[in-house]
């Protein structure tokens, strides 16, 4: 079964139901999000952790091509598939970068090939190495081997899971853009970390600030202004924040002493 949320965009209710029925062979019904037009689709894309999108091409108020351009601009790396009842659109669609092109009504065996393409693409991304500047040279790093990135005394360091620390001449803002499709989160003005590495988040040991515990036990600060966004992103991935333990001064609501663990 596919892991993560799937967005289906189609303005035709009957065709949409057929596509949803086909998708349910590869994902749970709760994973499938539906939008009847491009505006509703953009709202879902901006608020939900969508991992794959199926886009109808012909729609009023914005076609699938404009929606694909929006995805490529604002959600780089998100795979999408074009859906249409007219195979003539196939050539035009490849001006974009879809994972696949499906004609309606969707054949389940043909959709199985689409999900296999998505899986291969995901595996390739996990193995991909990103070139990062280090002075006049380049470092080739695997995103899933990065523990966190931080700025220390005007220098930016990349901390690897194997203990290596690599200095880069990129700014933290540049690295935030480079690693956006790998779900890195800017939890503090000086720290950037992959969401997958975060094991717990909540109040620091002194209770006045926030911090995140990473894989291996490392701790990094979380800004008060970004703690809510971090919590939102982690909860969308299905990870719950626990209530506080009832220390003096707590209200019993999720707040400064909240903690989340896998």
């Amino acid at each position: 079964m596919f892991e993560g949320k799937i967005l289906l965009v189609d303005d035709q209710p009957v065709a949409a139901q057929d596509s949803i029925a086909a998708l349910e062979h590869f994902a749970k019904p709760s994973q499938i999000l539906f939008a009847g037009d491009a505006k509703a689709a953009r709202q879902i894309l901006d608020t939900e952790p969508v991992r794959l999108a199926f886009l109808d091409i012909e729609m009023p108020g914005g076609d699938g091509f404009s929606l694909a351009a929006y995805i490529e601009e604002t959600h780089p790396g998100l795979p999408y598939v074009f859906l249409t009842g007219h195979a003539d659109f196939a050539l035009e669609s490849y001006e974009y970068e879809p994972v696949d092109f499906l004609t309606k009504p969707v054949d389940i065996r043909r959709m199985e090939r689409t999900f296999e393409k998505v899986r291969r693409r995901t595996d390739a991304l996990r193995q991909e190495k990103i070139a990062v500047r280090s002075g006049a040279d380049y470092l080739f790093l695997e995103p899933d081997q990065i523990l966190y990135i931080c700025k220390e005394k005007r220098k930016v360091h990349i901390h690897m899971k194997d203990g290596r620390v690599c200095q880069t001449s990129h700014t933290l803002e540049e690295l935030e853009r480079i690693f956006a499709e790998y779900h890195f989160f800017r939890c503090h003005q000086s720290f950037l970390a992959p969401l997958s590495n975060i094991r717990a988040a909540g109040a620091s040991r002194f209770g006045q600030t926030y911090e995140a515990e990473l894989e291996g036990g490392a701790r990094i600060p979380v800004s008060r202004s970004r703690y809510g966004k971090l919590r939102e992103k982690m909860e969308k991935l299905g990870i719950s924040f626990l209530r506080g333990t009832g220390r003096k001064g707590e209200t019993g609501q999720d707040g400064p002493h909240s903690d989340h663990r896998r």
Side-chain angles (χ1 to χ4, degrees), residues 58 71 83 91 137-138 147 167 176 189 199 253:
E58 288 187 293
I71 287 175
L83 287 173
L91 290 177
D137 300 320
Y138 279 88
L147 183 61
Q167 185 174 322
E176 185 176 9
Q189 64 179 357
R199 295 292 179 263
Q253 300 295 320

Side-chain angles (χ1 to χ4, degrees), residues 38-202:
K39 181 179 179 181
R42 287 192 294 270
Q43 183 175 7
I44 290 174
L45 287 165
D46 293 342
T47 57
E48 296 286 346
V50 175
R51 301 293 296 276
L52 175 62
F54 287 81
L55 313 177
D56 185 25
I57 292 180
E58 288 187 293
M59 294 185 295
D63 60 20
F65 294 138
S66 64
L67 194 52
Y70 180 79
I71 287 175
E72 291 181 359
E73 179 181 356
T74 62
H75 301 277
L78 173 64
Y80 59 88
V81 177
F82 282 128
L83 287 173
T84 185
H86 304 284
D88 294 343
F89 281 117
L91 290 177
E92 186 178 353
S93 75
Y94 281 103
E95 294 181 8
Y96 299 87
E97 296 184 8
V99 173
D100 209 349
F101 181 96
L102 297 177
T103 55
K104 298 184 291 185
V106 176
D107 180 80
I108 293 174
R109 287 174 296 180
R110 180 64 183 82
M111 182 174 276
E112 185 175 10
R113 289 165 52 191
T114 299
F115 276 92
E116 178 60 22
K117 288 182 180 182
V118 173
R119 185 192 65 76
R120 290 200 301 267
R121 174 185 170 127
T122 300
D123 289 344
L125 281 175
R126 287 172 179 166
Q127 298 170 6
E128 182 179 356
K129 291 187 177 182
I130 303 298
V132 176
R133 287 199 313 270
S134 181
D137 300 320
Y138 279 88
L139 303 171
F140 293 90
L141 306 176
E142 296 179 24
D144 65 353
Q145 294 304 306
I146 296 174
L147 183 61
Y148 67 92
I149 304 171
C150 68
K151 181 178 179 181
E152 303 172 288
K153 297 180 179 179
R154 298 185 179 180
K155 295 181 179 179
V156 177
H157 297 94
I158 301 175
H159 292 251
M160 307 298 293
K161 291 181 179 180
D162 62 8
R164 287 180 297 147
V165 179
C166 308
Q167 185 174 322
T168 174
S169 47
H170 284 289
T171 66
L172 207 57
E173 288 73 20
E174 288 173 331
L175 293 173
E176 185 176 9
R177 290 193 295 271
I178 289 171
F179 290 107
E181 65 182 281
Y182 300 96
H183 304 289
F184 277 56
F185 180 73
R186 185 80 172 269
C187 59
H188 184 276
Q189 64 179 357
S190 300
F191 285 82
L192 181 65
L195 290 172
S196 60
N197 285 350
I198 297 176
R199 295 292 179 263

Side-chain angles (χ1 to χ4, degrees), residues 197-202 211-220 261:
N197 285 350
I198 297 176
R199 295 292 179 263
E211 63 181 15
E213 180 183 330
L214 305 180
E215 179 180 321
R219 293 175 179 268
I220 61 174
R261 297 187 183 276

